[in-house]
């Protein structure tokens, strides 16, 4: 079974600064996807960024980027120029193909990020 | 472009009752997954539906059942409710064969 570990229950960052959220995972699979989701107090889970395991290049989406270390099974999220709207729970998630066109997401317990004005 | 929608937003039920939650997938998506998110935890996979059949199931008892309709919308049914079933229930949609899932706003279920 796959597991996802987020070792930082809470973090804070000053507005406009940079913060990195950590995630490690455990799997014996070679082909899989990793995601970061954001869940603000409104509770809508929003996809922030995705990474395919077969791609060596780290994914980037505007102010969000990842550091994907496949051998170390590490997948951290860097948020640059932090904004007040980035305040939310951030979940790291893993998925692999489960057959019959099916994927299921395995989530970590989340990191609560607070951006301080 | 319509995103994933869920109804109702909130629901309060009594132990032993039954509940039905509803989900409409994002336009163009054909696969629906359901997740349970307890307070302070990450979501846990319940099951996934494609072509009106349950394709994958997580570690949840048979009290949790579902259905997918020809228009790809889905229902989650929970029988014999327990206090521990109180949680946020999230629906996610995707295209079959895609690992990328998009979530709805969730239904907050409280069992008293």
């Amino acid at each position: 079974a796959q597991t996802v570990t987020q070792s930082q229950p809470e973090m804070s960052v000053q507005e406009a600064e940079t913060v990195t959220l950590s995630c490690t995972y455990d799997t014996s699979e070679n082909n899989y996807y990793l995601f970061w989701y954001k869940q603000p107090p409104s509770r809508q889970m929003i996809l922030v960024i995705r990474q395919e395991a077969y791609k060596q290049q780290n994914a980037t989406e505007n102010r969000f980027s990842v550091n994907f270390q496949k051998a170390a099974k590490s997948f951290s999220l860097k948020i640059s120029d932090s904004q007040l709207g980035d305040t939310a729970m951030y979940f790291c998630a893993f998925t692999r193909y489960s057959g019959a066109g099916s994927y299921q997401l395995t989530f970590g317990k989340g990191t609560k990020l607070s951006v301080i004005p | 472009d319509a995103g994933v929608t869920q109804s109702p937003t909130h629901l309060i039920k009594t132990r032993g009752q039954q509940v039905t939650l509803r989900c409409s997938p994002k336009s163009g998506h054909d696969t629906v997954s359901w997740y349970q998110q307890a307070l302070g935890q990450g979501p846990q996979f319940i099951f996934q539906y494609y072509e009106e059949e349950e394709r994958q199931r997580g570690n949840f008892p048979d009290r949790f059942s579902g259905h997918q309709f020809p228009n790809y919308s889905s229902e989650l049914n929970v029988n014999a409710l327990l206090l521990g079933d109180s949680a946020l229930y999230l629906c996610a949609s995707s295209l079959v064969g895609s690992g990328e899932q998009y979530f709805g706003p969730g239904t907050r279920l409280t069992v008293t």
Side-chain angles (χ1 to χ4, degrees):
Chain A
Q2 287 73 34
T3 59
V4 177
T5 302
Q6 293 179 249
S7 58
Q8 304 152 316
E10 292 192 41
M11 293 190 73
S12 61
V13 62
Q14 291 291 135
E15 195 174 5
E17 296 296 308
T18 296
V19 64
T20 299
L21 309 183
S22 300
C23 172
T24 58
Y25 58 95
D26 186 27
T27 183
S28 58
E29 301 288 332
N30 194 46
N31 295 315
Y32 50 87
Y33 297 90
L34 294 161
F35 303 91
W36 280 97
Y37 281 89
K38 167 186 177 181
Q39 189 177 40
S42 66
R43 79 192 189 200
Q44 176 96 41
M45 192 78 77
I46 301 164
L47 178 62
V48 174
I49 198 165
R50 67 177 268 172
Q51 175 78 44
E52 291 91 337
Y54 67 88
K55 290 186 177 179
Q56 292 186 332
Q57 186 172 3
N58 289 324
T60 299
E61 286 288 341
N62 300 314
R63 298 183 296 107
F64 300 88
S65 62
V66 299
N67 183 4
F68 174 49
Q69 301 289 327
K70 190 173 183 179
K73 296 180 182 175
S74 170
F75 182 61
S76 61
L77 174 69
K78 185 172 82 171
I79 306 174
S80 304
D81 186 25
S82 297
Q83 301 175 359
L84 296 178
D86 295 334
T87 293
M89 284 291 290
Y90 285 82
F91 292 96
C92 178
F94 169 100
T95 193
R96 63 171 181 83
Y97 185 64
S98 305
S102 174
Y103 290 85
Q104 65 180 71
L105 288 166
T106 300
F107 286 86
K109 290 190 175 181
T111 296
K112 183 178 181 180
L113 177 67
S114 298
V115 179
I116 303 165
Chain B
D1 181 21
V4 181
T5 60
Q6 292 186 243
S7 63
T9 304
H10 296 91
L11 205 51
I12 300 174
K13 290 286 188 177
T14 303
R15 275 178 298 176
Q17 286 189 317
Q18 179 263 346
V19 68
T20 297
L21 310 181
R22 296 177 175 81
C23 171
S24 290
K26 180 180 168 67
S27 179
H29 285 181
D30 54 13
T31 301
V32 173
S33 302
W34 287 92
Y35 293 82
Q36 180 194 66
Q37 186 178 18
L39 199 61
Q41 301 293 317
Q44 297 286 318
F45 175 75
I46 302 175
F47 43 53
Q48 185 177 82
Y49 276 84
Y50 170 65
E51 289 188 330
E52 302 179 49
E53 290 187 11
E54 184 182 291
R55 298 290 178 165
Q56 286 286 323
R57 189 178 182 92
N59 189 25
F60 279 80
D62 292 344
R63 297 187 298 108
F64 289 77
S65 63
H67 188 77
Q68 186 180 34
F69 299 93
N71 67 352
Y72 307 120
S73 66
S74 176
E75 289 181 349
L76 164 65
N77 300 294
V78 187
N79 295 322
L81 284 166
L82 304 174
L83 294 179
D85 295 331
S86 294
L88 179 66
Y89 288 84
L90 296 167
C91 169
S93 74
S94 58
L95 274 171
V96 67
S98 168
E100 196 164 301
Q101 298 183 18
Y102 292 85
F103 284 80
T107 295
R108 171 72 65 188
L109 172 65
T110 301
V111 182
T112 62

